[in-house]
């Protein structure tokens, strides 16, 4: 069953449906064009995030009315490929390494991910190839093996490879069944302690998350997009990475806006982390379920040590099913869930016009945190929210109606769907088609060079238009709150 994306997301977040008419959309043909409703997904995720921000800001500022939200397809489309628009001193980053690609197998296709050195090493080791193996070496080897065999062999060695499946094949897969049975956004109350009361905003909802302390334990792309958005809205976001697992500098530049970045070895310096946790309001994790448990960083362990904490957990495949402990990235989830087959042809798999599972889930995660903060201001108590790229994929392939913003070309706002609360999404005048991103790009100087970057798509009346600070160098900030 399909629903308007905004309605589905806002309902999943537990939001008041009476607030939905505060949202309007600027529709632009050509934005995020695909066979699947990617534009609608982006609009719904960003719109819900902006509405959650406006709601929190109004609550903290003591406003009688939630500010209006405006979602522009052009801003969303530009932000959803922010990594492609980034320039550092005029240089464009390289998004995918040579061994991160589709390969022909003996009976179909398989996709690998080897952007990080340790993933490349595990891939080559699983295939029995030397460290200096070339694309031709890998292609020749995989051509003689079945896609399923490659998937199991590489994952068994800690690498990343996924066999191409159709949507029907994924629907009968044990993990696909497990994913389909879960809600898009999972949230639960985990303790009975009151959270720290956030100070009022003195009538100004500009920065709804001002004063909120966020520990960011995430890596490419969805988690960092979520915390980048919380930083935009005023949160003090401190990204924490293990020193032995450096982040790609270009990826950090794209998603590091508004944040600070430090390194901390949890195996040898737990005391520093515990000091940070003691004053944190939110912890966001983006590692595969169970990977951080040995450090006492499961949602349950964190909530026990810091009552009132909000824990936001992101994973590729979900914290359930036989693949719950597998690593994954957007490109691999597209391949497993049938998206690559749908967007491709019989001769060649395809891909979405953006890493939309990553970006969309990132805004959903930020929205879930913002709504949890609003609920805490009313009820107190700690909360856990969980999202998975594979669940977002299921929503994209079988839960979103295409269009959903009403007839084009109207000069006035038009209600497009009615329910007990009245219109739930309004369309502004039809704007020119999306063909250039220039209106949603900006430039600024930073400690890592002159940056061209995508502006944030989250927009509400009185809200911020850009981040307060550019990204710095990875891991160079002190491990303390601002």
């Amino acid at each position: 069953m399909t629903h308007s994306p905004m309605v589905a997301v806002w309902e999943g977040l537990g939001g008041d449906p009476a607030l939905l008419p505060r949202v309007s959309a600027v529709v632009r043909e050509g934005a995020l064009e695909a066979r699947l409703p990617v534009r609608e997904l982006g609009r719904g995720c960003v719109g819900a995030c902006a509405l959650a921000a406006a709601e929190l800001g109004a609550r903290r500022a003591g406003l009688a009315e939630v500010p209006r939200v405006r979602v522009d397809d052009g801003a969303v489309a530009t932000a959803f490929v922010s990594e492609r628009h980034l320039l550092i001193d005029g240089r464009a980053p390289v998004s995918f390494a040579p061994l991160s690609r589709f390969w022909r197998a003996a009976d179909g296709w398989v996709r690998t991910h080897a952007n990080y050195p340790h993933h490349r090493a595990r891939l080559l080791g699983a295939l029995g190839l030397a460290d200096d193996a070339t694309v031709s070496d890998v292609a020749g080897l995989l051509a003689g093996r079945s896609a399923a065999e490659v998937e199991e062999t590489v994952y068994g060695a800690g690498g990343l490879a996924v066999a191409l499946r159709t949507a029907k094949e994924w629907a009968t897969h044990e993990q696909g069944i497990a994913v389909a049975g879960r809600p898009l956004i999972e949230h639960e109350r985990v303790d009975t302690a009151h959270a720290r009361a956030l100070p009022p905003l003195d009538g100004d909802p500009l920065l709804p998350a001002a004063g909120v302390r966020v520990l960011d334990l995430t890596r490419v792309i969805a988690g960092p997009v979520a915390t980048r958005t919380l930083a935009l809205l005023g949160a003090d976001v401190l990204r924490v990475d293990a020193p032995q697992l450096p982040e790609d500098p270009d990826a950090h530049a794209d998603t590091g806006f508004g944040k600070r970045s430090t390194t901390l070895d949890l195996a040898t310096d737990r005391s520093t982390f515990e000091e940070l946790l003691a004053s944190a309001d939110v912890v966001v994790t983006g590692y595969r379920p169970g990977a951080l448990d040995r450090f006492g960083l499961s949602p349950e362990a964190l909530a026990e040590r810091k009552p009132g904490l909000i824990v936001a957990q992101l994973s590729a495949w979900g914290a359930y099913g036989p693949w719950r402990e597998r690593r994954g990235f957007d490109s691999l989830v597209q391949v497993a869930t049938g998206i690559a087959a749908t967007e491709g042809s019989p001769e060649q798999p395809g891909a979405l016009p953006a890493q939309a599972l990553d970006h969309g889930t990132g805004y959903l995660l930020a929205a879930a945190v913002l709504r949890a903060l609003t609920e805490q201001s009313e009820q107190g108590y700690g909360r856990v929210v969980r999202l998975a790229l594979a669940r977002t994929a299921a929503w994209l392939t079988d839960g979103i109606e295409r269009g959903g913003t009403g007839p084009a070309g109207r000069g006035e706002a038009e209600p497009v769907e009615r329910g007990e609360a009245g219109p739930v999404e309004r369309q502004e005048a039809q704007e020119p088609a999306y063909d250039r991103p220039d209106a949603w790009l900006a430039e600024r100087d930073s400690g890592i060079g002159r940056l061209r970057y995508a502006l944030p798509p989250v927009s509400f009346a009185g809200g911020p238009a850009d981040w307060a600070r550019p990204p710095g160098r990875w891991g160079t900030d002190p491990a303390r709150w601002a």
Side-chain angles (χ1 to χ4, degrees):
M1 182 177 181
T2 59
H3 301 282
S4 163
M6 268 294 301
V7 175
V9 174
W10 195 244
E11 180 181 294
L13 291 167
D16 181 357
L19 295 180
L20 285 165
R22 308 299 294 171
V23 182
S24 64
V26 178
V27 177
R28 298 181 191 273
E29 296 300 325
L32 297 173
E33 287 285 356
R35 292 174 182 166
L36 291 167
V38 180
R39 177 172 54 176
E40 290 80 2
L41 175 142
R43 190 188 296 142
C45 294
V46 171
C49 184
L51 184 57
E55 177 193 32
L56 178 61
R59 178 65 53 85
R60 293 186 63 191
L63 303 183
E65 192 171 62
V66 171
R68 290 193 174 275
V69 168
R70 185 173 185 266
V71 189
D72 191 313
D73 284 348
V76 174
T78 303
F80 265 50
V81 289
S82 60
E83 63 274 13
R84 300 181 201 170
H85 292 304
L86 179 69
L87 294 178
I88 306 172
D89 286 333
R91 177 185 61 83
V94 176
S95 296
F96 284 94
L99 298 187
S100 296
R101 49 164 286 181
F102 281 108
W103 310 86
R104 265 204 184 279
D107 58 352
W109 292 87
V110 66
R111 181 152 192 169
T112 56
H113 195 287
N115 284 4
Y116 287 109
H118 57 292
H119 291 157
R120 182 182 187 277
R122 291 169 185 169
L123 170 66
L124 294 176
L127 299 177
L129 294 172
D131 290 344
D132 60 353
T134 65
V135 169
S136 296
D137 295 332
V138 177
L141 183 66
L142 296 187
R145 298 190 182 183
S146 74
E149 177 195 353
V150 173
E151 178 181 277
E152 290 304 316
T153 299
V154 174
Y155 260 112
L160 295 113
V162 171
L164 179 72
R165 292 173 174 82
T166 65
K168 286 186 176 180
E169 289 170 336
W170 180 248
T172 61
H173 189 279
E174 192 174 351
Q175 187 63 30
I177 294 170
V179 167
R182 311 293 288 221
L184 177 64
I185 303 161
E186 300 186 56
H187 44 87
E188 60 180 304
R189 205 173 81 180
V190 293
D191 60 42
T192 58
H194 283 283
R196 179 173 73 94
L198 297 175
L201 296 177
D202 298 326
D204 184 0
L206 174 64
L207 297 174
V212 175
R213 291 172 172 167
V214 179
L215 277 175
D216 177 4
L217 308 179
T218 70
R219 295 167 75 85
V220 233
I221 291 175
V225 164
T227 52
R228 180 180 71 181
T229 303
L230 296 174
L232 168 76
L233 299 169
D236 179 8
V237 179
L238 180 63
R239 173 165 167 167
V240 180
D241 285 282
Q244 66 272 24
L245 291 176
E247 179 61 285
D248 175 77
D250 293 340
H252 177 68
D254 175 48
T255 57
F257 283 87
K259 313 177 195 178
R260 293 176 300 113
S261 169
T262 194
T263 59
L264 198 60
D265 190 340
L266 296 179
T268 60
D269 193 1
R270 286 285 299 279
S271 61
T272 300
F273 180 84
E274 294 301 320
E275 290 174 6
L276 292 169
L277 177 64
S279 299
D281 302 296
V282 180
V283 175
V284 185
T285 67
Y287 294 79
R288 58 192 172 91
L292 299 177
D293 289 5
R294 68 184 187 278
F295 301 115
L297 300 182
S298 69
E300 297 76 15
L302 287 167
E304 183 177 348
R305 299 206 303 285
K306 179 63 193 301
L309 186 70
I310 294 171
V311 182
Q313 186 181 48
L314 170 77
S315 62
W317 307 106
Y320 37 76
W323 284 18
R324 63 186 176 276
E325 294 184 355
R326 286 196 174 190
R327 299 171 177 85
F329 293 92
D330 180 306
S331 59
L332 302 182
V333 176
Q334 289 190 40
V335 172
T337 58
I339 292 173
T342 298
E343 295 292 335
S345 68
E347 294 75 33
Q348 177 73 40
L352 298 176
Q355 295 192 66
L357 305 180
D358 264 332
H359 286 272
T361 307
Y363 290 107
L364 290 179
L365 192 66
V369 170
L370 294 166
R371 284 247 64 247
L373 289 167
T374 296
E375 290 179 348
Q376 277 192 337
S377 70
E378 302 168 342
Q379 308 162 10
Y381 314 118
R383 284 166 170 75
V384 173
V385 298
R386 293 185 176 90
L387 287 96
L389 301 186
R391 185 60 186 83
T392 303
W395 182 48
L396 174 64
T397 56
D398 195 33
I400 300 177
E401 61 184 22
R402 186 176 291 278
T405 54
R410 301 296 181 91
E412 298 179 359
E414 278 284 320
V416 300
E417 184 174 333
R418 293 185 178 274
E420 293 181 3
V424 297
E425 190 174 341
R426 305 177 74 88
Q427 177 185 324
E428 297 184 2
Q430 182 79 8
E431 294 291 334
Y434 178 77
D435 59 357
R436 293 179 62 85
D438 298 11
W440 301 281
L441 297 176
E443 292 192 14
R444 70 197 299 179
D445 292 319
S446 74
I448 58 176
R450 180 74 177 174
L451 302 179
R452 188 194 73 175
Y453 60 98
L455 288 167
V458 173
S459 176
F460 60 93
D466 201 346
W467 289 274
R469 56 180 286 166
R473 295 192 182 279
W474 177 83
T476 57
D477 292 297
R480 61 172 181 262
W481 296 113

